Amino acid sequence: MYKIAVLPCDGIGPEVVAEGLKVLQVAAQKYQIEYETVDYDIGGERYLRTGEVLPESVKEELAQCDAIYLGAVGHDAVPPGVLEHGILLTLRFEFDQYVNLRPVKLYPGVETPLANKGPEDIDFVVVRENTEDMYVGIGGSMKKGTPDEVATQLAVYTRKGVERIIRYAFELCRRRDDNRQLTLVDKANVLTHGHDLWRRTFAEVGEEYPDIKRDCHFVDACCMWFVKNPEWYDTVVTTNMFGDIITDLGAMIQGGMGVAASGNINPEGVSMFEPIHGSAPKHAGKGVASPVAAIAAVQMMLEQFGETDAAAAVDRAIQAALATGEIPVTTGPEGSTQRTGDMIASLVE
Ligand code: IPM
Ligand code: MN
């Protein structure tokens, strides 16, 4: 019996999460998976109402779950950073979800902005480190608001943190398919301390995986090649900050934010699954947002549970639905959110 905490949060979060849960229900029934969901009223509205972002009591309950399913955070009336830090980053850090897994896969029937590239060219996965780097929040400022203002924001890398993400990426690369190639994306030519640690760790751990071809790309060149030669990539491992940036680019080449999902994974703890997109307040409540990314997040959750048959069935259903060409991948007409969810759910059946 899996216990899944559901945090729909803000904007379009609740409506896309509803479709993900619809698909989960059908897949669970078909593959005899028992689960229960517990809904949490977290997000901008609660913050505005009560001043609470993520109460301790909620955190304690989340720690007892098998997974967290999150919609989207971000609210127009809440200053930027409050919910992002208070909910998303707090969960990633406190539950030590050190892997941020972001598949970049172009499904047949989905349009990519890249000319002359198709599904056979765009099929890789980015393993983004999720607990270190500039995201740790170490830094400060002085003489704020004056012409002499100074501000620092430290990028922190630890041997342990770097090694565990690199090891995860090698293992994942080995499991994925026979085209075993792992690319480290860094900026070792400029960040000669921090990214030297990445390079050395990558080379050392790589010795244990002689079956995997290794490559190192500078992040700026990587951005160029994601666009020019996406077929060069199989598995990519990178830092938190670079992973944030290159996966938005990745989401675009796979057809847009409406299809890109991610897993914040602690292999020994509580993992959290979410669409990559934000709360898109201007689209909220209209049923126009694509729920595909949220449904793909459910597929990743099933995969993480080890429910591989159910995960594969959801993946096939998403692909079949997209192949009809009738599914809007970013936004569509009113009611398309629900119709897309219905279609994918019926294809799982
Ligand atoms: C993401 C988002 C978050 C990040 C923000 C909302 C804190 O952009 O999941 O990629 O920077 O990691
Ligand atoms: Mn991002």
Side-chain angles (χ1 to χ4, degrees):
M1 175 79 136
Y2 299 107
K3 196 167 174 187
I4 302 166
V6 181
L7 280 63
C9 298
D10 306 314
I12 60 170
E15 47 200 289
V16 296
V17 156
E19 302 313 308
L21 292 174
K22 191 186 274 176
V23 173
L24 175 64
Q25 192 182 7
V26 174
Q29 194 158 17
K30 182 162 180 189
Y31 293 92
Q32 280 143 36
I33 298 167
E34 285 191 50
Y35 73 98
E36 61 173 11
T37 56
V38 186
D39 279 8
Y40 289 90
D41 169 30
I42 293 294
E45 294 296 332
R46 178 171 184 163
Y47 174 72
L48 293 171
R49 219 171 47 235
T50 69
E52 288 175 306
V53 183
L54 191 63
E56 270 315 308
S57 60
V58 172
K59 265 193 261 175
E60 281 163 22
E61 286 182 39
L62 296 183
Q64 304 306 317
C65 290
D66 294 292
I68 301 167
Y69 182 40
L70 182 131
V73 298
H75 192 291
D76 278 343
V78 179
V82 173
L83 303 169
E84 290 83 348
H85 273 279
I87 301 174
L88 199 57
L89 298 180
T90 298
L91 291 173
R92 288 178 184 170
F93 276 73
E94 292 202 7
F95 291 123
D96 205 21
Q97 295 160 344
Y98 66 86
V99 184
N100 193 327
L101 204 57
R102 299 191 157 183
V104 178
K105 189 174 165 70
L106 177 66
Y107 286 122
V110 177
E111 205 177 319
T112 174
L114 304 188
N116 307 319
K117 298 291 176 190
E120 63 290 352
D121 302 304
I122 303 169
D123 182 6
F124 59 93
V125 60
V126 177
V127 179
R128 167 186 172 189
E129 201 288 321
N130 213 27
T131 54
E132 301 197 331
D133 207 359
M134 280 180 267
Y135 280 78
V136 295
I138 298 179
S141 53
M142 61 187 278
K143 301 185 183 170
K144 210 168 180 166
T146 75
D148 297 322
E149 178 164 350
V150 180
T152 62
Q153 193 90 42
L154 210 63
V156 173
Y157 310 106
T158 66
R159 169 72 198 206
K160 256 194 221 163
V162 173
E163 184 168 336
R164 67 183 180 175
I165 193 69
I166 285 176
R167 202 170 280 286
Y168 184 95
F170 274 110
E171 289 291 333
L172 176 72
C173 182
R174 191 176 261 177
R175 281 201 308 275
R176 251 172 73 80
D177 53 34
D178 292 333
N179 170 30
R180 292 178 180 165
Q181 186 189 314
L182 180 62
T183 308
L184 169 65
V185 171
D186 64 23
K187 190 72 184 173
N189 51 343
V190 174
L191 308 179
T192 48
H193 307 292
H195 290 193
D196 176 58
L197 171 60
W198 278 80
R199 286 264 167 132
R200 277 184 289 111
T201 310
F202 187 60
E204 279 168 34
V205 176
E207 294 285 309
E208 295 170 39
Y209 299 86
D211 52 319
I212 296 175
K213 186 175 169 295
R214 268 178 276 147
D215 243 328
C216 297
H217 291 176
F218 296 135
V219 65
D220 46 352
C222 162
C223 288
M224 177 172 77
W225 289 325
F226 267 21
V227 172
K228 198 170 168 287
N229 299 100
E231 67 281 2
W232 285 357
Y233 295 97
D234 169 40
T235 308
V236 172
V237 63
T238 191
T239 62
N240 203 346
M241 190 77 254
F242 291 167
D244 177 46
I245 298 165
I246 68 173
T247 56
D248 266 28
L249 180 54
M252 282 301 123
I253 69 174
Q254 75 179 115
M257 283 296 184
V259 289
S262 77
N264 301 272
I265 294 169
N266 175 342
E268 292 91 38
V270 182
S271 300
M272 172 166 72
F273 300 86
E274 54 166 339
I276 293 187
H277 64 67
S279 59
K282 67 172 186 278
H283 298 309
K286 301 184 193 143
V288 299
S290 163
V292 172
I295 297 169
V298 164
Q299 183 254 321
M300 294 183 78
M301 178 164 67
L302 289 167
E303 190 84 55
Q304 183 65 23
F305 286 160
E307 302 289 351
T308 46
D309 291 343
V314 172
D315 190 47
R316 281 196 304 273
I318 293 174
Q319 296 210 39
L322 289 170
T324 64
E326 286 165 24
I327 290 194
V329 287
T330 26
T331 56
E334 272 186 36
S336 57
T337 309
Q338 290 79 0
R339 284 196 295 277
T340 300
D342 289 342
M343 187 194 241
I344 296 174
S346 71
L347 286 162
V348 171
E349 273 171 347

